């Protein structure tokens, strides 16, 4: 990696810190807001310079498609994908208290790239082949299409369900008739998409 200018180093560090806290990289708009750029185009110029210097890689057509490169970032990647267990109320998914272990698994085997593994609790998604104790490979994103299996947060609760959209109405549907769909009240419940399912690992191999 070539030597970075002070501003480029600040942007690289901001991306790293943001990703460490939130579990996914920032958008160009969030970087612009942090550094006072008037438009995301200025951010794009800095990001392209970082790409040329070998400090990061960009995925096309993805709002959060930023992957850091460098000694510290490579060391984190070599440590493996974090496995998230029970999520403490109100905490970021990848907060230290939620990560139970790391799995030596190539995140690039999934498409889009996996950012973490989420341990599944319960059988609400069993008819989709997602069982209790499975590790769901998750690509961190706030955007999801209707019909995708998502990791969603409603208040302090984190759940894995299939997202369905009809106009402004959103439903989180289980894949098990014994469970009811979750229909958030837009005036009372804040629904946040934490990521989309991109694969599955069954630790016990059965």
């Amino acid at each position: 990696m070539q030597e970075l200018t002070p501003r480029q180093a600040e942007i690289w560090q901001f991306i790293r810190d943001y990703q460490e806290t939130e579990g996914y990289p920032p958008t160009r708009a969030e970087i612009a807001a942090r550094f006072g750029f008037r438009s995301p185009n200025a951010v794009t110029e800095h990001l392209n310079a970082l790409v040329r210097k070998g400090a990061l890689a960009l995925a096309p057509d993805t709002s959060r498609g930023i992957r850091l490169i460098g000694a510290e970032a490579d060391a984190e990647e070599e440590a493996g994908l974090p496995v998230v267990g029970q999520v403490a109320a109100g905490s970021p998914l990848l907060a230290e208290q939620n990560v139970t272990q790391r799995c030596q698994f190539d995140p690039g085997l999934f498409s889009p790239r996996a950012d973490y593994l989420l341990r599944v609790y319960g059988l609400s998604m069993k008819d989709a082949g997602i069982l209790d104790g499975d590790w769901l490979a998750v690509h961190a994103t706030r955007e999801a299409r209707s019909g995708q299996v998502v990791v969603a947060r409603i208040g302090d609760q984190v759940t894995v369900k299939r997202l369905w959209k009809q106009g402004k109405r959103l439903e989180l549907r289980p894949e098990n008739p014994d469970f009811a769909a979750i229909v958030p009240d837009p005036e009372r419940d804040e629904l946040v998409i934490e990521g989309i399912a991109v694969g599955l690992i069954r630790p016990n191999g059965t």
Side-chain angles (χ1 to χ4, degrees):
M1 184 171 68
Q2 299 179 35
E3 185 176 352
L4 306 182
T5 67
R7 177 46 61 94
Q8 290 167 356
E10 287 178 349
I11 293 173
W12 193 95
Q13 187 64 45
F14 170 71
I15 295 170
R16 181 180 181 275
D17 292 344
Y18 187 103
Q19 184 164 304
E20 189 174 89
T21 301
E22 300 295 336
Y24 46 81
T27 63
R28 287 163 174 76
E30 287 165 339
I31 297 172
R34 166 63 179 79
F35 290 96
F37 298 133
R38 292 185 178 180
S39 79
N41 290 336
V43 176
T44 298
E45 293 179 7
H46 284 287
L47 294 181
N48 287 338
L50 288 167
V51 170
R52 290 193 296 270
K53 290 187 174 183
L56 57 79
L58 297 176
D61 304 321
T62 304
S63 64
R64 297 184 187 273
I66 300 173
R67 184 171 69 88
L68 293 177
I69 301 172
E72 295 179 7
D74 291 343
E76 289 179 2
E77 187 167 302
E78 288 174 4
L81 286 174
V83 180
V84 178
Q86 292 278 21
V87 177
S91 67
L93 240 62
L94 292 181
E96 183 178 350
Q97 67 266 31
N98 301 330
V99 176
T100 59
Q101 65 188 95
R102 286 184 175 269
C103 176
Q104 291 295 332
F105 211 88
D106 182 2
L109 293 176
F110 302 102
S111 181
R113 180 185 181 87
D115 294 295
Y116 59 91
L117 302 171
L118 180 69
R119 179 172 178 177
V120 176
Y121 293 91
L123 293 171
S124 67
M125 296 297 288
K126 74 177 183 67
D127 290 348
I130 303 173
L131 307 179
D132 183 65
D134 285 350
W135 292 349
L136 192 70
V138 182
H139 173 68
T141 177
R142 296 290 197 205
E143 302 169 359
R145 299 189 305 273
S146 184
Q148 288 185 306
V149 175
V150 302
V151 177
R153 184 191 295 269
I154 303 177
D156 288 336
Q157 177 187 6
V158 174
T159 186
V160 176
K161 296 290 185 291
R162 193 175 298 279
L163 175 68
W164 289 98
K165 301 179 182 180
Q166 186 173 13
K168 294 185 178 181
R169 177 185 170 88
L170 300 177
E171 286 188 26
L172 296 171
R173 297 182 183 177
E175 293 282 350
N176 182 338
D178 294 334
F179 291 77
I182 299 172
V183 183
D185 182 341
E187 295 184 0
R188 187 187 65 212
D189 304 317
E190 181 184 11
L191 171 63
V192 177
I193 302 299
E194 296 278 3
I196 58 173
V198 294
L200 192 70
I201 297 175
R202 189 150 292 155
N204 58 18
T206 60

